[in-house]
Amino acid sequence: MEKMWKLHGNSSAGILQSKSIYLLLTLGIICVFLMLPQNTYLQLDTALLRPGKHDASSAPDTRLHPIEVRIKEAKAVFAEMMEKQSRSLTEARSEYKRRYKRPPPPGFDHWHDAAREANATIIDNFDTIMNAFDPYFGYTAKECRALTKMAVDTKDLIIKYSIRNGSVSVSQFDGYQRYTDEIDRWMQPLLRKGFLPDMDFAYSAEDEPRVVVPYDLLEWQKKHCPKKEDVKLQKDMVIGRPTNFLEVNKQNIRDIATSSCPLDSSARALDPITDRNDEPLQFISSMQSICNTPPAAIQHGYFSSPVRNRYTPLLLPIFSKAKPRNYQDLHMPSPFYTELYRQNRYNATLDPPWSEKANRLYWTGRPTGGYNHHGNWPQLHRHRFVQNINDPNREITLLHQNNVTDTWDSYTTTMSTLSDQISVAFTIKWRGSCDPSDCDWTEANLPFFDSTLPESEAYKSRFLMDLDGYGFTERFYRFLGSKSTVFKMSMFEEWHDDRLVPWVHYVPVSVGMEELPEMIRFFSTERGQ
């Protein structure tokens, strides 16, 4: 675990019968294609594919810790994925068609050339983006254009990008020009090469997702495919009545958030308060979805008490930075990632070698993630994390290896046993997402570090926690680029999820975080490292 595996990001999407949807999919190629030369945070260290001295395969006589099992499984999956990557444009075209039952979109050869030039290691895996686009296959060109216009016309922090004759124009909102300028930088090289066709697309300036469609409508849309005569380019559809986003804030949005979940999913069938798994210490294998993790409704601030939740149940083609897996927003990388890279926010000279780092878990940040009122802090993931991990009297479950059977048995202790391996606190007394009395309680009862601590303070620790805020966090790539190991708790899917593999590139943590103390204990040992 001394170094995380660094993977150079890239992705793409497929082609639809509809020209307008094809243009959006072309944009899916564009966004990630332009991330290739910029995100050198994410370089793959292929030496880590070889067994290390603490690799599970080098200790055949010892019963594996559950974490070792996860790592061994993930490394095998990742090694197989790497081995199967296409080695030529011909192979890549064939694999795309095999996977997605359609030919790759026009311009795929340009994407492939750019990926090779940037030494991208993943060529074939586009499942995350393709799954997001899946329900949009049912739209004709005129429907897609009309629905894009409908989203933009709300003027509800939906930015419109218009490409015409090799130039791009952008609708602006006060305070969001940094987003638009950064995305414009992505596009300029492709505009100069003539790779971008005339098109309009809608991008949400908010951190939170915007589109969640009821399951029955979603399934109908996925099964509907435009007839050949519907696909012919016709005059644009005119929608007489514009839509508005629905706003439900500062209250539990479980019913909204799970409306797109399958009817037989646990989130639709059970009360999240009673749907508890009593089995000890579940180490998750991948990112969680609220559809199969009902307790997230009362464990994550976005679901339990969002500060901003402006959404639509209509299938509008809106690009967003991140979304719960069951939402219908389309994927676009966050402008923050490349902006922070250009600003040199990660300075390798301030990142000491592993041997000089403290053997502890580090996190600092604002008390955000949800609206804090009426004493609901236990349902806000950041508050709960900071409180629980700093409470020396809190009972926790750890594992130890039985000397007789070699099995890993659980035992109960308190957080005080791990106090020396924790450096976690809020840093800024942020009052933008809490009632005054709840702000007072947070500031009086939860730990705060000096707000002037530099970002490089994190690199003094071997383990860095990345925890959702209102949505994704921009520090993730910076942490991956460091010499530390990243622990990540997130309920949000991003464009790179086919490329960054849990237990290979980072350590996934469940939304309940019950297993986190044992993770800290295990990875702090010689065997864990």
Side-chain angles (χ1 to χ4, degrees):
M1 297 302 297
E2 181 170 338
K3 293 169 64 180
M4 294 306 288
W5 297 8
K6 311 296 187 270
L7 177 65
H8 209 308
N10 63 83
S11 185
S12 182
I15 187 171
L16 304 181
Q17 296 94 333
S18 160
K19 181 178 178 182
S20 290
I21 297 295
Y22 147 65
L23 296 181
L24 291 179
L25 288 168
T26 299
L27 182 65
I29 296 175
I30 291 162
C31 295
V32 294
F33 167 163
L34 286 166
M35 295 286 280
L36 296 178
Q38 301 188 62
N39 277 319
T40 53
Y41 287 155
L42 306 180
Q43 294 288 346
L44 174 67
D45 185 349
T46 54
L48 289 171
L49 289 171
R50 297 190 294 270
K53 75 173 185 178
H54 293 298
D55 186 81
S57 62
S58 66
D61 297 330
T62 302
R63 184 74 175 269
L64 298 182
H65 187 284
I67 287 175
E68 292 175 310
V69 174
R70 289 297 192 197
I71 292 173
K72 183 177 181 180
E73 293 170 346
K75 288 176 72 173
V77 169
F78 183 67
E80 182 180 14
M81 180 175 75
M82 293 294 295
E83 180 66 26
K84 289 184 175 180
Q85 293 303 303
S86 296
R87 301 295 189 265
S88 68
L89 176 59
T90 299
E91 287 184 9
R93 284 183 172 279
S94 177
E95 177 62 13
Y96 191 104
K97 188 172 183 179
R98 184 193 70 79
R99 281 174 177 257
Y100 305 117
K101 312 303 183 215
R102 56 177 53 83
F108 186 78
D109 54 339
H110 297 311
W111 175 85
H112 181 271
D113 291 346
R116 292 298 183 193
E117 184 178 347
N119 296 318
T121 54
I122 304 297
I123 299 296
D124 299 320
N125 298 63
F126 313 135
D127 294 358
T128 297
I129 286 180
M130 288 301 291
N131 288 340
F133 272 100
D134 192 31
Y136 293 90
F137 283 85
Y139 282 148
T140 64
K142 62 181 181 180
E143 289 170 336
C144 183
R145 288 194 295 268
L147 292 168
T148 298
K149 183 176 186 302
M150 176 188 284
V152 170
D153 285 349
T154 65
K155 302 188 185 303
D156 193 346
L157 292 181
I158 301 296
I159 298 171
K160 177 184 178 181
Y161 287 82
S162 294
I163 300 173
R164 298 290 186 274
N165 301 317
S167 298
V168 60
S169 61
V170 185
S171 62
Q172 294 285 3
F173 291 93
D174 291 341
Y176 290 90
Q177 187 167 353
R178 58 185 295 204
Y179 294 0
T180 57
D181 288 352
E182 192 66 25
I183 294 175
D184 183 66
R185 288 188 187 93
W186 298 355
M187 292 185 180
Q188 286 306 318
L190 298 184
L191 289 168
R192 289 193 293 270
K193 293 178 180 179
F195 290 169
L196 302 188
D198 289 355
M199 62 183 298
D200 296 333
F201 67 92
Y203 177 69
S204 174
E206 300 236 71
D207 289 341
E208 296 86 354
R210 307 299 294 270
V211 185
V212 55
V213 180
Y215 178 76
D216 54 346
L217 298 179
L218 196 60
E219 285 302 292
W220 182 90
Q221 183 72 12
K222 288 179 180 180
K223 294 175 182 177
H224 175 72
C225 187
K227 297 178 181 178
K228 186 174 181 179
E229 56 268 24
D230 294 333
V231 177
K232 295 177 182 178
L233 295 180
Q234 303 171 17
K235 292 183 178 179
D236 284 354
M237 175 185 292
V238 176
I239 297 179
R241 185 171 60 184
T243 189
N244 290 308
F245 287 94
L246 305 175
E247 187 163 358
V248 182
N249 300 331
K250 304 178 185 180
Q251 58 185 286
N252 195 291
I253 63 165
R254 177 206 174 207
D255 290 345
I256 295 168
T258 61
S259 63
S260 63
C261 294
L263 299 181
D264 60 353
S265 65
S266 54
R268 296 293 293 270
L270 301 174
D271 184 332
I273 296 177
T274 60
D275 183 38
R276 301 283 188 171
N277 192 330
D278 294 329
E279 294 184 31
L281 299 190
Q282 298 295 299
F283 298 94
I284 61 174
S285 60
S286 61
M287 191 194 76
Q288 294 177 296
S289 164
I290 192 172
C291 294
N292 55 30
T293 315
I298 55 172
Q299 293 179 333
H300 194 287
Y302 172 71
F303 302 116
S304 65
S305 183
V307 174
R308 292 183 300 272
N309 177 49
R310 291 195 286 268
Y311 77 98
T312 177
L314 303 177
L315 190 63
L316 300 185
I318 298 171
F319 286 88
S320 296
K321 307 176 192 73
K323 61 163 189 156
R325 182 173 291 176
N326 59 302
Y327 278 43
Q328 282 67 57
D329 303 61
L330 298 172
H331 289 291
M332 179 181 284
S334 169
F336 284 135
Y337 286 142
T338 51
E339 179 190 52
L340 297 181
Y341 174 72
R342 286 190 304 98
Q343 294 173 353
N344 279 329
R345 290 283 285 276
Y346 171 69
N347 185 338
T349 64
L350 301 176
D351 188 2
W354 176 267
S355 60
E356 298 176 15
K357 295 174 182 281
N359 204 23
R360 67 189 178 199
L361 180 76
Y362 182 91
W363 182 87
T364 60
R366 294 184 180 190
T368 60
Y371 194 82
N372 185 10
H373 62 153
H374 306 304
N376 71 333
W377 69 263
Q379 298 187 13
L380 309 180
H381 52 282
R382 286 194 169 188
H383 290 70
R384 179 167 49 87
F385 167 64
V386 171
Q387 164 65 17
N388 288 349
I389 207 163
N390 284 290
D391 180 0
N393 299 316
R394 177 174 167 254
E395 287 194 353
I396 58 174
T397 299
L398 300 180
L399 301 179
H400 71 93
Q401 193 163 30
N402 188 302
N403 291 331
V404 177
T405 65
D406 272 349
T407 58
W408 288 89
D409 301 331
S410 62
Y411 66 98
T412 301
T413 183
T414 63
M415 273 303 301
S416 61
T417 61
L418 299 175
S419 295
D420 293 341
Q421 294 157 265
I422 304 295
S423 183
V424 169
F426 291 127
T427 50
I428 298 176
K429 295 182 178 180
W430 173 251
R431 287 180 165 250
S433 56
C434 50
D435 282 353
S437 60
D438 294 90
C439 294
D440 292 342
W441 184 92
T442 298
E443 293 170 12
N445 292 277
L446 299 183
F448 280 78
F449 287 160
D450 184 348
S451 62
T452 62
L453 282 175
E455 289 180 338
S456 60
E457 184 71 16
Y459 309 137
K460 297 177 182 178
S461 300
R462 290 181 174 178
F463 311 109
L464 306 180
M465 186 73 175
D466 186 49
L467 198 67
D468 284 344
Y470 296 130
F472 82 108
T473 63
E474 71 279 359
R475 71 182 77 183
F476 184 39
Y477 283 14
R478 179 166 56 85
F479 281 2
L480 285 177
S482 74
K483 302 181 184 75
S484 300
T485 291
V486 183
F487 288 30
K488 184 172 181 63
M489 192 292 288
S490 180
M491 292 295 293
F492 292 97
E493 180 182 77
E494 295 186 64
W495 72 277
H496 54 228
D497 282 358
D498 288 325
R499 288 144 173 75
L500 297 175
V501 180
W503 297 111
V504 174
H505 302 103
Y506 63 92
V507 177
V509 181
S510 72
V511 67
M513 294 182 273
E514 296 90 352
E515 76 279 28
L516 184 57
E518 172 60 13
M519 288 177 161
I520 297 169
R521 185 209 65 78
F522 177 76
F523 283 120
S524 297
T525 65
E526 181 181 358
R527 176 169 178 167
Q529 293 178 17

